[in-house]
Amino acid sequence: MPKGELATGPIVTEALSQGKEVYVPYIHKAAATPSEASTSVMDMVSLHTKEDFEGLEADPWGIPTPSEPSIAGRKRCLGKRAFDPQTLEDVREGMQHLDVIVMPGMAFDRRLARLGHGKGYYDSFLSRYEQGLGASTDSESKMPFLVGLALEEQVLPEGKEVPEGPYDWRLDALVIGDQPILRR
């Protein structure tokens, strides 16, 4: 379990064995203008096979991550130049639509809010994804279904809330061990 989150490896390998298209997070430096400092952003990139997934190396958070040299041969969810969030045309070009995102979290509440590691990678990614959808001409495009996986100990008691900011995204569903699934 990478840094307090449930491992999703079995879900990924099962989806790949069923022929599903699977994307994994890829965190990298964003292109910056000369007046800006570069910052890290997240995109989702495609996996090719189960063996491809099993060959990924863990990043500093313990998450299996594609190597930088392998990125050129992978589809990027946000398109060709997704690492430049300020260029809307780049976000639109070649965008891949996702059906479901398994959202990591250290803690969750019953309102379906989540507490991550505080870097905002998933929230920023979802905002950029939504921006790309707004520019899409595909009327069938929609936001992915956001699912959290939690141990019972990671869910705050009724009445307690995870702190939220204006850029935080809530889940659509939360799976808590063998308890009933919480849904919006």
Side-chain angles (χ1 to χ4, degrees), residues 1 4 8 11 43 49 53 58 79 118 126 137 158 168-169 174 179:
M1 179 161 57
T8 56
I11 296 169
D43 193 0
T49 63
F53 175 65
L126 288 167
T137 57
E158 192 71 47
D168 291 331
W169 286 74
L174 179 60
Q179 293 183 19

Side-chain angles (χ1 to χ4, degrees), residues 107-181:
F108 303 89
D109 68 28
R110 300 199 175 270
R111 301 170 307 137
L112 302 178
R114 59 179 267 284
L115 180 67
H117 288 283
K119 299 278 187 188
Y121 288 127
Y122 278 81
D123 297 311
S124 173
F125 169 80
L126 288 167
S127 294
R128 290 172 28 238
Y129 187 95
E130 183 179 52
Q131 206 176 24
L133 285 181
S136 174
T137 57
D138 180 2
S139 62
E140 297 295 313
S141 297
K142 61 183 192 261
M143 288 299 290
F145 192 78
L146 307 179
V147 178
L149 303 178
L151 298 171
E152 206 170 321
E153 296 80 5
Q154 290 177 283
V155 181
L156 297 178
E158 192 71 47
K160 299 286 183 180
E161 297 180 352
V162 167
E164 285 183 284
Y167 301 106
D168 291 331
W169 286 74
R170 286 194 184 174
L171 303 171
D172 296 303
L174 179 60
V175 178
I176 310 165
D178 59 1
Q179 293 183 19
I181 296 171

